[in-house]
Amino acid sequence: MAKNYKASLGFIFVTVLIDMIGIGIIIPVLPSLIESLIDGGLSDASRYGGWLMFSYAFMQFLFAPLLGSLSDKYGRRPILLMSLFGLGVDFIFHAYAPTIGLLFVGRLLAGMTGASYTVASAYIADISTPDKKAQNFGLIGAAFGLGFIIGPSIGGIASEWGIRAPFFVAAGLSFLNFLYGLFILPESHKKENRRNIELKRANPFGSLLHLRKHPFIAGFIISFFLIYIAGQSVQSTWSFFTMYRFNWDEKMVGYSLTLVGIIVAAVQAGLVRIIVNKIGEKRTVLLGMSFWVTGLILFALATESWMMFAFILPYCLGGIAGPTLQGIISNQVADSEQGELQGALTSIMSITNILGPLLMTSIFYAFTQDNAPFEFPGAAFMAGAIVMLVSLLTVIRPLNKIRDSADEAELKRPAEVK
């Protein structure tokens, strides 16, 4: 039993890892590709980049709950395989797209099948005991981190063969991932836990409204939403900011994201478990969010290239908060509804991916354009820090209402003494 459990974790880890390598490959070249298609500069390209992210996120927002519900009905494996195959087709579409309009079409198609995070999270929930969920959700974060170690580095190197070359590499990896899942990945969702699809719940609005069934997690959901809005300040503007502020090229962007990946992988693969065991889930969430606020402020105020590399450390240490908060939320919901819950959480993330890139790239553009009131390329990072601080303050109250592993240990201590 333990062997099958470890094997399943390994399967889903590698699946998400290869998926993220494919996505990470294209990050360093995306600004240059947009510039070439619009015949404009980085400031203008950042606005198109925001709308491209919006297109993907909007379609994912619409379709993630449906795919999550389908995985509750038919199992995680077939839905995950469909997502992986769709991503490979999308990368090929990007590689050949001759206009910015067709690039948008590719993003729309990718969003429709982009269920990997939803189903991978439901998969982890299926095979995890309540006390292991934070640790195991951290494995998904570690796979993301490792993907960003390998992906941007490959993307920076492949860009020497042209700004479209990384898309072909990404497509190849996605299809390899599909084949891996087809022949290796086992099903995790037991037949006795499956449920019929209800269309009123298998859509983003019904899925989100269904969260009202769990009013206790409302505060956590609001904080979860704000975390991902704040995180878009980095995801949406990192390449544009570093190229604008420090004249970085695609290789340097790739190297910086590789460092991000190394630290994120270390934090989420090992540090989450250690910190949770030491101080409990509640303090882990608060500590991690404090690191995030600090890192974003430091990014905003950086004046030298080396500072960006140094400030990556406190920002990435914030990664102990995400999987821990997700584990807390998951523990409040029945096993038969984990796919629907993860679909709802993915819809919330998609909303942040809709609003966040537009907001953050608009802030970047507003403070870097020729008519800016004053030049402040780090304005998006500072906005992210403010939003993250609000999220931290929001989560304190609901955290105080739950009992975590540290509280349980404290309750047991007097009995042990006796």
Side-chain angles (χ1 to χ4, degrees), residues 59-69 111-112 114-115 118 339 343 346-347 350:
M59 297 306 288
Q60 191 176 62
F61 168 71
L62 293 178
F63 283 87
L66 174 60
L67 296 173
S69 292
M112 290 174 63
T118 300
T346 301
S347 287
S350 296

Side-chain angles (χ1 to χ4, degrees), residues 65 100 121 193 225 231 238 241 251 307 334 339 387:
I100 191 70
S121 296
N193 288 333
F225 172 80
W238 181 269
F241 172 82
K251 276 189 177 181
M307 293 181 179
V387 173

Side-chain angles (χ1 to χ4, degrees), residues 17-31 91 147-159 162-174 250 253-254 257:
L17 171 62
I18 298 177
D19 197 14
M20 290 312 301
I21 289 173
I23 294 174
I25 281 174
I26 69 172
I27 291 176
V29 299
L30 195 58
F91 283 136
F148 274 92
I149 293 172
I150 304 168
S153 296
I154 295 175
I157 295 170
S159 66
I163 58 176
R164 296 178 184 270
F167 291 95
F168 289 108
V169 179
L173 285 173
S174 294
E250 289 84 0
V253 172
L257 292 176

Side-chain angles (χ1 to χ4, degrees), residues 116-255:
S116 57
Y117 184 85
T118 300
V119 183
S121 296
Y123 195 108
I124 291 293
D126 289 339
I127 64 174
S128 303
T129 58
D131 61 314
K132 292 290 185 182
K133 282 185 178 178
Q135 176 183 335
N136 291 342
F137 280 130
L139 283 177
I140 295 182
F144 272 67
L146 283 173
F148 274 92
I149 293 172
I150 304 168
S153 296
I154 295 175
I157 295 170
S159 66
E160 294 185 0
W161 291 287
I163 58 176
R164 296 178 184 270
F167 291 95
F168 289 108
V169 179
L173 285 173
S174 294
F175 289 130
L176 179 65
N177 199 5
F178 168 78
L179 293 174
Y180 174 86
L182 184 64
F183 294 108
I184 303 296
L185 188 70
E187 179 56 64
S188 66
H189 194 38
K190 296 178 181 178
K191 290 185 177 180
E192 60 266 29
N193 288 333
R194 298 187 185 185
R195 63 176 181 84
N196 291 326
I197 298 172
E198 297 179 33
L199 291 179
K200 66 180 181 180
R201 290 165 59 178
N203 66 81
F205 306 104
S207 179
L208 292 173
L209 288 174
H210 185 65
L211 290 176
R212 293 183 303 176
K213 179 181 175 182
H214 312 285
F216 186 73
I217 65 175
F220 296 125
I221 294 295
I222 293 171
S223 180
F224 186 85
F225 172 80
L226 293 175
I227 284 173
Y228 279 89
I229 285 285
Q232 283 297 332
S233 62
V234 175
Q235 296 175 34
S236 302
T237 68
W238 181 269
S239 297
F240 297 105
F241 172 82
T242 53
M243 288 180 173
Y244 181 92
R245 185 74 176 84
F246 305 116
N247 292 316
W248 285 9
D249 58 13
E250 289 84 0
K251 276 189 177 181
M252 186 61 77
V253 172
Y255 294 149

Side-chain angles (χ1 to χ4, degrees), residues 176-402:
L176 179 65
N177 199 5
F178 168 78
L179 293 174
Y180 174 86
L182 184 64
F183 294 108
I184 303 296
L185 188 70
E187 179 56 64
S188 66
H189 194 38
K190 296 178 181 178
K191 290 185 177 180
E192 60 266 29
N193 288 333
R194 298 187 185 185
R195 63 176 181 84
N196 291 326
I197 298 172
E198 297 179 33
L199 291 179
K200 66 180 181 180
R201 290 165 59 178
N203 66 81
F205 306 104
S207 179
L208 292 173
L209 288 174
H210 185 65
L211 290 176
R212 293 183 303 176
K213 179 181 175 182
H214 312 285
F216 186 73
I217 65 175
F220 296 125
I221 294 295
I222 293 171
S223 180
F224 186 85
F225 172 80
L226 293 175
I227 284 173
Y228 279 89
I229 285 285
Q232 283 297 332
S233 62
V234 175
Q235 296 175 34
S236 302
T237 68
W238 181 269
S239 297
F240 297 105
F241 172 82
T242 53
M243 288 180 173
Y244 181 92
R245 185 74 176 84
F246 305 116
N247 292 316
W248 285 9
D249 58 13
E250 289 84 0
K251 276 189 177 181
M252 186 61 77
V253 172
Y255 294 149
S256 68
L257 292 176
T258 296
L259 179 60
V260 170
I262 291 172
I263 300 175
V264 167
V267 167
Q268 302 212 1
L271 195 59
V272 170
R273 174 178 54 83
I274 294 171
I275 298 297
V276 168
N277 288 341
K278 287 285 186 182
I279 64 176
E281 288 85 353
K282 294 191 290 189
R283 293 187 182 92
T284 299
V285 169
L286 296 176
L287 178 62
M289 294 177 72
S290 299
F291 275 123
W292 268 332
V293 172
T294 302
L296 287 167
I297 292 174
L298 292 174
F299 285 153
L301 301 177
T303 57
E304 302 288 343
S305 282
W306 66 266
M307 293 181 179
M308 296 301 290
F309 285 93
F311 298 158
I312 283 171
L313 179 59
Y315 178 77
C316 289
L317 285 174
I320 61 176
T324 308
L325 181 59
Q326 190 173 359
I328 289 172
I329 295 172
S330 178
N331 283 336
Q332 316 306 315
V333 177
D335 291 341
S336 62
E337 298 180 353
Q338 287 296 322
E340 182 179 53
L341 170 66
Q342 300 305 330
L345 292 180
T346 301
S347 287
I348 291 170
M349 292 167 61
S350 296
I351 293 173
T352 68
N353 290 337
I354 291 168
L355 301 177
L358 293 178
L359 174 63
M360 297 305 176
T361 55
S362 294
I363 291 173
F364 175 81
Y365 174 75
F367 287 93
T368 56
Q369 64 167 316
D370 293 337
N371 297 323
F374 58 91
E375 187 180 39
F376 184 28
F381 295 139
M382 190 62 73
I386 294 170
V387 173
M388 189 69 74
L389 180 59
V390 173
S391 178
L392 190 158
L393 296 174
T394 300
V395 81
I396 291 175
R397 185 175 180 183
L399 282 177
N400 287 334
K401 294 181 179 180
I402 68 168

